[in-house]
């Protein structure tokens, strides 16, 4: 069984299972498609938690892939020179609030531990969808219509085109190009040219951040025990 917030993601994950993929393989494909079709909520620029039940060991593993603060971050990062707290959107918009993204590292670790299919193979359906196109889901269109800040920050007209043409087939060539590099070598994102581009963007912003190449290179996913509670005959577990 596959459950997600989007039909494109669910159907692609089912196909991965049909090809002999594990739940871990399907989760990678599913999450990367969510990054394409609902970037307002998901994406490789953010962080993730993942819970995986290892049936052989009868053990639940909690992958903590949350974003981490840059090493050079000052404790005064969200204060004005006067010592007053910055207004929320003054602090959030731009590079200042950017942490080290953990989603991709989480997916890679999950795949290394429990994947059956090749890394390249489970990313290929996402590249195909990005290149062949998808119809923007209502949640994305609604988010873009409410958005006040993105279009001042992002000179790429990709999201503007979706906002103005919500029923039109949308192709994301940049995401496909990025995933092709990641499918060959995921370290491109944390140590290669993609990492360089991310850091440049964060530092060059009018509200610059503190992210460095070392922050990206040194990022590690933490494996922890989940938090579980017993309710009658069932255990409910979540990230710690």
């Amino acid at each position: 069984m596959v459950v997600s917030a989007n039909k494109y993601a669910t159907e692609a994950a089912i196909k991965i299972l049909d090809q002999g993929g594990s739940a871990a393989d399907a989760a990678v494909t599913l999450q990367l498609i969510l990054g394409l079709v609902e970037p307002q909520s998901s994406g490789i620029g953010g962080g993730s938690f993942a819970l995986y039940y290892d049936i052989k060991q009868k053990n639940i593993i909690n992958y903590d892939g949350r974003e981490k603060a840059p090493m050079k971050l000052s404790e005064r990062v969200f204060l004005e020179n006067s010592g007053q707290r910055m207004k929320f959107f003054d602090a959030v918009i731009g590079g200042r609030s950017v942490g080290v993204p953990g989603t991709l590292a989480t997916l890679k670790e999950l795949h290394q531990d429990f994947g059956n299919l090749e890394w390249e193979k489970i990313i290929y359906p996402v590249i195909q969808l990005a290149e062949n196109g998808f119809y923007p889901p209502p949640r994305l269109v609604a988010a873009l219509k409410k958005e006040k800040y993105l279009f001042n920050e992002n000179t790429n007209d990709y999201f503007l085109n979706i906002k103005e043409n919500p029923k039109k087939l949308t192709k994301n060539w940049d995401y496909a190009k990025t995933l092709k590099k990641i499918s060959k070598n995921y370290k491109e994102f944390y140590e290669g040219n993609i990492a360089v581009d991310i850091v440049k963007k964060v530092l060059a912003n009018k509200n610059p951040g503190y992210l460095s190449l070392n922050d990206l290179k040194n990022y590690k996913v933490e494996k922890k025990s989940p938090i579980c509670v017993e309710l009658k005959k069932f255990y409910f577990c979540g990230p710690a």
Side-chain angles (χ1 to χ4, degrees):
M1 182 171 70
V2 176
V3 181
S4 88
N6 184 271
K7 189 178 179 181
Y8 286 113
T10 300
E11 289 179 349
I14 289 169
K15 285 180 183 175
I16 291 294
L17 295 178
D18 289 343
Q19 292 168 23
S22 66
D25 292 320
V28 174
T29 305
L30 183 144
Q31 180 59 41
L32 291 175
I33 286 182
L34 290 179
L36 172 66
V37 300
E38 57 163 44
Q40 78 283 1
S41 304
S42 299
I44 55 176
S48 291
F49 297 112
L51 290 182
Y52 193 90
Y53 178 59
D54 180 1
I55 196 166
K56 290 179 183 173
Q57 301 294 326
K58 291 190 166 31
N59 183 37
I60 301 169
I61 302 165
N62 168 34
Y63 293 82
D64 185 342
R66 202 59 213 264
E67 309 92 331
K68 288 188 170 65
M71 286 297 291
K72 291 180 183 176
L73 199 70
S74 159
E75 70 268 23
R76 297 182 60 83
V77 62
F78 299 124
L79 299 179
E80 304 280 7
N81 291 336
S82 63
Q84 295 294 311
R85 285 185 300 175
M86 295 177 75
K87 291 179 181 176
F88 180 78
F89 284 107
D90 289 342
V92 166
I93 305 301
R96 185 181 293 258
S97 65
V98 175
V100 189
T103 291
L104 189 62
T106 305
L107 296 178
K108 183 64 177 172
E109 191 106 0
L110 182 63
H111 176 259
Q112 281 178 341
D113 290 348
F114 297 106
N116 289 342
L117 304 178
E118 293 174 1
W119 176 248
E120 207 166 342
K121 187 169 185 175
I122 57 178
I123 296 179
Y124 179 70
V126 194
I127 295 168
Q128 266 193 316
L129 184 61
E131 290 182 339
N132 294 337
F134 65 96
Y135 290 98
R139 288 184 72 231
L140 171 56
V141 175
L144 289 172
K145 284 182 178 176
K146 288 189 291 185
E147 179 57 52
K148 296 177 182 177
Y149 302 98
L150 173 69
F151 301 109
N152 294 328
E153 292 291 317
N154 193 342
T155 54
N156 188 323
D157 61 1
Y158 172 75
F159 290 114
L160 191 60
N161 286 336
I162 295 175
K163 182 183 177 182
E164 293 175 350
N165 305 283
K167 297 191 183 306
K168 187 178 175 183
L169 191 73
T170 299
K171 299 178 181 182
N172 192 332
W173 299 103
D174 289 336
Y175 192 55
K177 185 179 174 185
T178 298
L179 289 181
K180 282 177 184 176
K181 291 181 180 178
I182 289 168
S183 71
K184 299 269 193 301
N185 178 15
Y186 105 100
K187 286 190 175 179
E188 269 287 316
F189 186 86
Y190 287 98
E191 298 178 27
N193 290 334
I194 298 173
V196 171
D197 287 343
I198 292 170
V199 171
K200 275 184 185 173
K201 187 75 174 175
V202 170
L203 299 185
N205 191 269
K206 63 186 176 187
N207 192 14
Y210 296 82
L211 193 67
S212 73
L213 286 171
N214 276 338
D215 289 322
L216 283 159
K217 186 177 180 180
N218 294 328
Y219 184 87
K220 294 283 187 296
V221 177
E222 297 177 37
K223 293 183 193 176
K224 303 174 178 178
S225 296
I227 291 176
C228 296
V229 60
E230 186 178 3
L231 185 62
K232 296 184 177 178
K233 296 179 181 177
F234 297 96
Y235 281 96
F236 290 88
C237 297

